[in-house]
PDB file of all heavy atoms in Angstrom:
ATOM      1  N   LYS F   1     -19.374   4.448  11.997  1.00  0.00           N
ATOM      2  CA  LYS F   1     -19.911   4.409  10.628  1.00  0.00           C
ATOM      3  C   LYS F   1     -18.853   4.633   9.564  1.00  0.00           C
ATOM      4  O   LYS F   1     -18.841   3.965   8.530  1.00  0.00           O
ATOM      5  CB  LYS F   1     -21.026   5.445  10.493  1.00  0.00           C
ATOM      6  CG  LYS F   1     -21.776   5.392   9.173  1.00  0.00           C
ATOM      7  CD  LYS F   1     -22.941   6.375   9.184  1.00  0.00           C
ATOM      8  CE  LYS F   1     -23.740   6.273   7.890  1.00  0.00           C
ATOM      9  NZ  LYS F   1     -24.886   7.216   7.906  1.00  0.00           N
ATOM     10  N   GLU F   2     -17.948   5.570   9.816  1.00  0.00           N
ATOM     11  CA  GLU F   2     -16.974   5.937   8.786  1.00  0.00           C
ATOM     12  C   GLU F   2     -15.901   4.862   8.567  1.00  0.00           C
ATOM     13  O   GLU F   2     -15.128   4.942   7.612  1.00  0.00           O
ATOM     14  CB  GLU F   2     -16.309   7.267   9.139  1.00  0.00           C
ATOM     15  CG  GLU F   2     -15.402   7.210  10.360  1.00  0.00           C
ATOM     16  CD  GLU F   2     -14.703   8.529  10.627  1.00  0.00           C
ATOM     17  OE1 GLU F   2     -14.972   9.504   9.889  1.00  0.00           O
ATOM     18  OE2 GLU F   2     -13.892   8.576  11.565  1.00  0.00           O
ATOM     19  N   LEU F   3     -15.865   3.881   9.446  1.00  0.00           N
ATOM     20  CA  LEU F   3     -14.798   2.880   9.383  1.00  0.00           C
ATOM     21  C   LEU F   3     -15.258   1.508   8.878  1.00  0.00           C
ATOM     22  O   LEU F   3     -14.455   0.595   8.764  1.00  0.00           O
ATOM     23  CB  LEU F   3     -14.155   2.723  10.767  1.00  0.00           C
ATOM     24  CG  LEU F   3     -13.471   3.985  11.305  1.00  0.00           C
ATOM     25  CD1 LEU F   3     -13.063   3.793  12.756  1.00  0.00           C
ATOM     26  CD2 LEU F   3     -12.255   4.334  10.462  1.00  0.00           C
ATOM     27  N   TRP F   4     -16.561   1.364   8.554  1.00  0.00           N
ATOM     28  CA  TRP F   4     -17.030   0.086   8.018  1.00  0.00           C
ATOM     29  C   TRP F   4     -16.396  -0.174   6.661  1.00  0.00           C
ATOM     30  O   TRP F   4     -16.217   0.745   5.864  1.00  0.00           O
ATOM     31  CB  TRP F   4     -18.546   0.087   7.849  1.00  0.00           C
ATOM     32  CG  TRP F   4     -19.378   0.046   9.088  1.00  0.00           C
ATOM     33  CD1 TRP F   4     -20.393   0.892   9.405  1.00  0.00           C
ATOM     34  CD2 TRP F   4     -19.322  -0.898  10.163  1.00  0.00           C
ATOM     35  NE1 TRP F   4     -20.963   0.558  10.609  1.00  0.00           N
ATOM     36  CE2 TRP F   4     -20.322  -0.543  11.100  1.00  0.00           C
ATOM     37  CE3 TRP F   4     -18.515  -2.001  10.430  1.00  0.00           C
ATOM     38  CZ2 TRP F   4     -20.532  -1.259  12.273  1.00  0.00           C
ATOM     39  CZ3 TRP F   4     -18.732  -2.706  11.605  1.00  0.00           C
ATOM     40  CH2 TRP F   4     -19.724  -2.342  12.507  1.00  0.00           C
ATOM     41  N   PRO F   5     -16.062  -1.434   6.358  1.00  0.00           N
ATOM     42  CA  PRO F   5     -15.560  -1.760   5.017  1.00  0.00           C
ATOM     43  C   PRO F   5     -16.683  -1.614   3.987  1.00  0.00           C
ATOM     44  O   PRO F   5     -17.864  -1.652   4.352  1.00  0.00           O
ATOM     45  CB  PRO F   5     -15.106  -3.216   5.146  1.00  0.00           C
ATOM     46  CG  PRO F   5     -15.853  -3.756   6.312  1.00  0.00           C
ATOM     47  CD  PRO F   5     -16.084  -2.606   7.243  1.00  0.00           C
ATOM     48  N   PRO F   6     -16.350  -1.447   2.703  1.00  0.00           N
ATOM     49  CA  PRO F   6     -17.373  -1.274   1.672  1.00  0.00           C
ATOM     50  C   PRO F   6     -18.354  -2.451   1.652  1.00  0.00           C
ATOM     51  O   PRO F   6     -17.937  -3.610   1.561  1.00  0.00           O
ATOM     52  CB  PRO F   6     -16.567  -1.212   0.366  1.00  0.00           C
ATOM     53  CG  PRO F   6     -15.190  -0.805   0.796  1.00  0.00           C
ATOM     54  CD  PRO F   6     -14.987  -1.392   2.160  1.00  0.00           C
ATOM     55  N   ARG F   7     -19.643  -2.143   1.718  1.00  0.00           N
ATOM     56  CA  ARG F   7     -20.652  -3.197   1.820  1.00  0.00           C
ATOM     57  C   ARG F   7     -20.675  -4.101   0.589  1.00  0.00           C
ATOM     58  O   ARG F   7     -20.809  -5.313   0.701  1.00  0.00           O
ATOM     59  CB  ARG F   7     -22.034  -2.589   2.053  1.00  0.00           C
ATOM     60  CG  ARG F   7     -23.102  -3.652   2.305  1.00  0.00           C
ATOM     61  CD  ARG F   7     -24.469  -3.064   2.558  1.00  0.00           C
ATOM     62  NE  ARG F   7     -25.458  -4.108   2.720  1.00  0.00           N
ATOM     63  CZ  ARG F   7     -25.764  -4.701   3.865  1.00  0.00           C
ATOM     64  NH1 ARG F   7     -25.168  -4.322   4.980  1.00  0.00           N
ATOM     65  NH2 ARG F   7     -26.686  -5.658   3.932  1.00  0.00           N
ATOM     66  N   ASP F   8     -20.539  -3.519  -0.598  1.00  0.00           N
ATOM     67  CA  ASP F   8     -20.600  -4.332  -1.811  1.00  0.00           C
ATOM     68  C   ASP F   8     -19.469  -5.355  -1.853  1.00  0.00           C
ATOM     69  O   ASP F   8     -19.664  -6.506  -2.256  1.00  0.00           O
ATOM     70  CB  ASP F   8     -20.587  -3.455  -3.070  1.00  0.00           C
ATOM     71  CG  ASP F   8     -19.377  -2.529  -3.137  1.00  0.00           C
ATOM     72  OD1 ASP F   8     -18.709  -2.302  -2.113  1.00  0.00           O
ATOM     73  OD2 ASP F   8     -19.100  -2.010  -4.238  1.00  0.00           O
ATOM     74  N   ARG F   9     -18.303  -4.963  -1.382  1.00  0.00           N
ATOM     75  CA  ARG F   9     -17.172  -5.897  -1.330  1.00  0.00           C
ATOM     76  C   ARG F   9     -17.407  -6.970  -0.274  1.00  0.00           C
ATOM     77  O   ARG F   9     -17.034  -8.136  -0.462  1.00  0.00           O
ATOM     78  CB  ARG F   9     -15.868  -5.161  -1.032  1.00  0.00           C
ATOM     79  CG  ARG F   9     -15.337  -4.310  -2.172  1.00  0.00           C
ATOM     80  CD  ARG F   9     -13.969  -3.739  -1.830  1.00  0.00           C
ATOM     81  NE  ARG F   9     -12.952  -4.786  -1.730  1.00  0.00           N
ATOM     82  CZ  ARG F   9     -11.737  -4.598  -1.208  1.00  0.00           C
ATOM     83  NH1 ARG F   9     -11.421  -3.431  -0.677  1.00  0.00           N
ATOM     84  NH2 ARG F   9     -10.861  -5.593  -1.165  1.00  0.00           N
ATOM     85  N   MET F  10     -18.024  -6.592   0.839  1.00  0.00           N
ATOM     86  CA  MET F  10     -18.323  -7.565   1.893  1.00  0.00           C
ATOM     87  C   MET F  10     -19.337  -8.599   1.400  1.00  0.00           C
ATOM     88  O   MET F  10     -19.171  -9.804   1.643  1.00  0.00           O
ATOM     89  CB  MET F  10     -18.867  -6.846   3.130  1.00  0.00           C
ATOM     90  CG  MET F  10     -17.841  -5.998   3.850  1.00  0.00           C
ATOM     91  SD  MET F  10     -16.585  -6.972   4.723  1.00  0.00           S
ATOM     92  CE  MET F  10     -17.495  -7.452   6.193  1.00  0.00           C
ATOM     93  N   VAL F  11     -20.369  -8.140   0.702  1.00  0.00           N
ATOM     94  CA  VAL F  11     -21.368  -9.068   0.153  1.00  0.00           C
ATOM     95  C   VAL F  11     -20.700 -10.028  -0.819  1.00  0.00           C
ATOM     96  O   VAL F  11     -20.923 -11.255  -0.768  1.00  0.00           O
ATOM     97  CB  VAL F  11     -22.502  -8.287  -0.539  1.00  0.00           C
ATOM     98  CG1 VAL F  11     -23.404  -9.246  -1.325  1.00  0.00           C
ATOM     99  CG2 VAL F  11     -23.320  -7.509   0.482  1.00  0.00           C
ATOM    100  N   GLU F  12     -19.861  -9.501  -1.675  1.00  0.00           N
ATOM    101  CA  GLU F  12     -19.160 -10.344  -2.653  1.00  0.00           C
ATOM    102  C   GLU F  12     -18.268 -11.365  -1.958  1.00  0.00           C
ATOM    103  O   GLU F  12     -18.249 -12.551  -2.325  1.00  0.00           O
ATOM    104  CB  GLU F  12     -18.318  -9.446  -3.570  1.00  0.00           C
ATOM    105  CG  GLU F  12     -17.571 -10.187  -4.658  1.00  0.00           C
ATOM    106  CD  GLU F  12     -16.740  -9.263  -5.531  1.00  0.00           C
ATOM    107  OE1 GLU F  12     -16.902  -8.024  -5.427  1.00  0.00           O
ATOM    108  OE2 GLU F  12     -15.920  -9.772  -6.314  1.00  0.00           O
ATOM    109  N   LYS F  13     -17.562 -10.921  -0.941  1.00  0.00           N
ATOM    110  CA  LYS F  13     -16.654 -11.821  -0.221  1.00  0.00           C
ATOM    111  C   LYS F  13     -17.406 -12.955   0.457  1.00  0.00           C
ATOM    112  O   LYS F  13     -17.031 -14.127   0.339  1.00  0.00           O
ATOM    113  CB  LYS F  13     -15.849 -11.036   0.814  1.00  0.00           C
ATOM    114  CG  LYS F  13     -15.035 -11.955   1.729  1.00  0.00           C
ATOM    115  CD  LYS F  13     -14.329 -11.228   2.833  1.00  0.00           C
ATOM    116  CE  LYS F  13     -13.681 -12.243   3.780  1.00  0.00           C
ATOM    117  NZ  LYS F  13     -12.807 -11.626   4.782  1.00  0.00           N
ATOM    118  N   PHE F  14     -18.477 -12.610   1.178  1.00  0.00           N
ATOM    119  CA  PHE F  14     -19.168 -13.638   1.951  1.00  0.00           C
ATOM    120  C   PHE F  14     -20.027 -14.548   1.076  1.00  0.00           C
ATOM    121  O   PHE F  14     -20.277 -15.699   1.443  1.00  0.00           O
ATOM    122  CB  PHE F  14     -19.966 -12.999   3.082  1.00  0.00           C
ATOM    123  CG  PHE F  14     -19.097 -12.627   4.249  1.00  0.00           C
ATOM    124  CD1 PHE F  14     -18.670 -11.317   4.427  1.00  0.00           C
ATOM    125  CD2 PHE F  14     -18.666 -13.589   5.145  1.00  0.00           C
ATOM    126  CE1 PHE F  14     -17.845 -10.974   5.485  1.00  0.00           C
ATOM    127  CE2 PHE F  14     -17.837 -13.261   6.209  1.00  0.00           C
ATOM    128  CZ  PHE F  14     -17.423 -11.951   6.378  1.00  0.00           C
ATOM    129  N   LYS F  15     -20.456 -14.065  -0.065  1.00  0.00           N
ATOM    130  CA  LYS F  15     -21.096 -14.955  -1.033  1.00  0.00           C
ATOM    131  C   LYS F  15     -20.107 -16.037  -1.450  1.00  0.00           C
ATOM    132  O   LYS F  15     -20.454 -17.230  -1.515  1.00  0.00           O
ATOM    133  CB  LYS F  15     -21.548 -14.164  -2.263  1.00  0.00           C
ATOM    134  CG  LYS F  15     -22.899 -13.516  -2.154  1.00  0.00           C
ATOM    135  CD  LYS F  15     -23.271 -12.848  -3.478  1.00  0.00           C
ATOM    136  CE  LYS F  15     -24.654 -12.214  -3.408  1.00  0.00           C
ATOM    137  NZ  LYS F  15     -24.984 -11.508  -4.669  1.00  0.00           N
ATOM    138  N   ALA F  16     -18.893 -15.621  -1.753  1.00  0.00           N
ATOM    139  CA  ALA F  16     -17.852 -16.570  -2.172  1.00  0.00           C
ATOM    140  C   ALA F  16     -17.493 -17.521  -1.032  1.00  0.00           C
ATOM    141  O   ALA F  16     -17.245 -18.710  -1.264  1.00  0.00           O
ATOM    142  CB  ALA F  16     -16.624 -15.811  -2.644  1.00  0.00           C
ATOM    143  N   MET F  17     -17.457 -17.023   0.206  1.00  0.00           N
ATOM    144  CA  MET F  17     -17.121 -17.877   1.340  1.00  0.00           C
ATOM    145  C   MET F  17     -18.219 -18.903   1.612  1.00  0.00           C
ATOM    146  O   MET F  17     -17.944 -20.020   2.058  1.00  0.00           O
ATOM    147  CB  MET F  17     -16.902 -17.016   2.587  1.00  0.00           C
ATOM    148  CG  MET F  17     -15.642 -16.184   2.558  1.00  0.00           C
ATOM    149  SD  MET F  17     -15.398 -15.225   4.078  1.00  0.00           S
ATOM    150  CE  MET F  17     -15.057 -16.520   5.267  1.00  0.00           C
ATOM    151  N   ARG F  18     -19.463 -18.522   1.334  1.00  0.00           N
ATOM    152  CA  ARG F  18     -20.595 -19.405   1.619  1.00  0.00           C
ATOM    153  C   ARG F  18     -20.712 -20.548   0.604  1.00  0.00           C
ATOM    154  O   ARG F  18     -21.157 -21.651   0.943  1.00  0.00           O
ATOM    155  CB  ARG F  18     -21.878 -18.570   1.608  1.00  0.00           C
ATOM    156  CG  ARG F  18     -23.151 -19.329   1.936  1.00  0.00           C
ATOM    157  CD  ARG F  18     -24.313 -18.353   2.038  1.00  0.00           C
ATOM    158  NE  ARG F  18     -25.551 -19.008   2.404  1.00  0.00           N
ATOM    159  CZ  ARG F  18     -26.608 -19.110   1.613  1.00  0.00           C
ATOM    160  NH1 ARG F  18     -26.589 -18.581   0.394  1.00  0.00           N
ATOM    161  NH2 ARG F  18     -27.708 -19.727   2.024  1.00  0.00           N
ATOM    162  N   GLU F  19     -20.306 -20.300  -0.611  1.00  0.00           N
ATOM    163  CA  GLU F  19     -20.535 -21.242  -1.705  1.00  0.00           C
ATOM    164  C   GLU F  19     -19.993 -22.645  -1.449  1.00  0.00           C
ATOM    165  O   GLU F  19     -20.697 -23.642  -1.689  1.00  0.00           O
ATOM    166  CB  GLU F  19     -19.942 -20.675  -3.013  1.00  0.00           C
ATOM    167  CG  GLU F  19     -20.326 -21.450  -4.259  1.00  0.00           C
ATOM    168  CD  GLU F  19     -21.829 -21.546  -4.453  1.00  0.00           C
ATOM    169  OE1 GLU F  19     -22.532 -20.564  -4.165  1.00  0.00           O
ATOM    170  OE2 GLU F  19     -22.290 -22.619  -4.878  1.00  0.00           O
ATOM    171  N   PRO F  20     -18.759 -22.797  -0.960  1.00  0.00           N
ATOM    172  CA  PRO F  20     -18.251 -24.160  -0.724  1.00  0.00           C
ATOM    173  C   PRO F  20     -19.081 -24.957   0.275  1.00  0.00           C
ATOM    174  O   PRO F  20     -19.203 -26.176   0.138  1.00  0.00           O
ATOM    175  CB  PRO F  20     -16.834 -23.903  -0.185  1.00  0.00           C
ATOM    176  CG  PRO F  20     -16.462 -22.562  -0.676  1.00  0.00           C
ATOM    177  CD  PRO F  20     -17.735 -21.781  -0.684  1.00  0.00           C
ATOM    178  N   TYR F  21     -19.663 -24.280   1.252  1.00  0.00           N
ATOM    179  CA  TYR F  21     -20.501 -24.964   2.234  1.00  0.00           C
ATOM    180  C   TYR F  21     -21.775 -25.505   1.572  1.00  0.00           C
ATOM    181  O   TYR F  21     -22.232 -26.605   1.873  1.00  0.00           O
ATOM    182  CB  TYR F  21     -20.889 -24.022   3.367  1.00  0.00           C
ATOM    183  CG  TYR F  21     -19.746 -23.615   4.257  1.00  0.00           C
ATOM    184  CD1 TYR F  21     -19.013 -22.474   3.995  1.00  0.00           C
ATOM    185  CD2 TYR F  21     -19.403 -24.365   5.380  1.00  0.00           C
ATOM    186  CE1 TYR F  21     -17.950 -22.085   4.821  1.00  0.00           C
ATOM    187  CE2 TYR F  21     -18.370 -23.987   6.216  1.00  0.00           C
ATOM    188  CZ  TYR F  21     -17.643 -22.853   5.921  1.00  0.00           C
ATOM    189  OH  TYR F  21     -16.599 -22.479   6.735  1.00  0.00           O
ATOM    190  N   LEU F  22     -22.341 -24.721   0.655  1.00  0.00           N
ATOM    191  CA  LEU F  22     -23.595 -25.120   0.014  1.00  0.00           C
ATOM    192  C   LEU F  22     -23.398 -26.186  -1.033  1.00  0.00           C
ATOM    193  O   LEU F  22     -24.332 -26.910  -1.380  1.00  0.00           O
ATOM    194  CB  LEU F  22     -24.264 -23.893  -0.622  1.00  0.00           C
ATOM    195  CG  LEU F  22     -24.587 -22.727   0.316  1.00  0.00           C
ATOM    196  CD1 LEU F  22     -25.359 -21.656  -0.438  1.00  0.00           C
ATOM    197  CD2 LEU F  22     -25.412 -23.204   1.507  1.00  0.00           C
ATOM    198  N   SER F  23     -22.184 -26.293  -1.531  1.00  0.00           N
ATOM    199  CA  SER F  23     -21.907 -27.279  -2.580  1.00  0.00           C
ATOM    200  C   SER F  23     -21.445 -28.617  -2.021  1.00  0.00           C
ATOM    201  O   SER F  23     -21.104 -29.520  -2.784  1.00  0.00           O
ATOM    202  CB  SER F  23     -20.867 -26.728  -3.556  1.00  0.00           C
ATOM    203  OG  SER F  23     -19.636 -26.457  -2.891  1.00  0.00           O
ATOM    204  N   LYS F  24     -21.416 -28.735  -0.690  1.00  0.00           N
ATOM    205  CA  LYS F  24     -21.030 -30.001  -0.078  1.00  0.00           C
ATOM    206  C   LYS F  24     -22.008 -31.098  -0.474  1.00  0.00           C
ATOM    207  O   LYS F  24     -23.211 -30.867  -0.531  1.00  0.00           O
ATOM    208  CB  LYS F  24     -20.991 -29.884   1.445  1.00  0.00           C
ATOM    209  CG  LYS F  24     -19.861 -29.049   1.999  1.00  0.00           C
ATOM    210  CD  LYS F  24     -19.790 -29.159   3.512  1.00  0.00           C
ATOM    211  CE  LYS F  24     -21.057 -28.656   4.171  1.00  0.00           C
ATOM    212  NZ  LYS F  24     -20.933 -28.642   5.651  1.00  0.00           N
TER     213      LYS F  24
END
């Protein structure tokens, strides 16, 4: 538990990673 990366940053990152796929 103590070693997980910050969730808010992970959500932000993967939202950005997902966007190019949806804009195809």
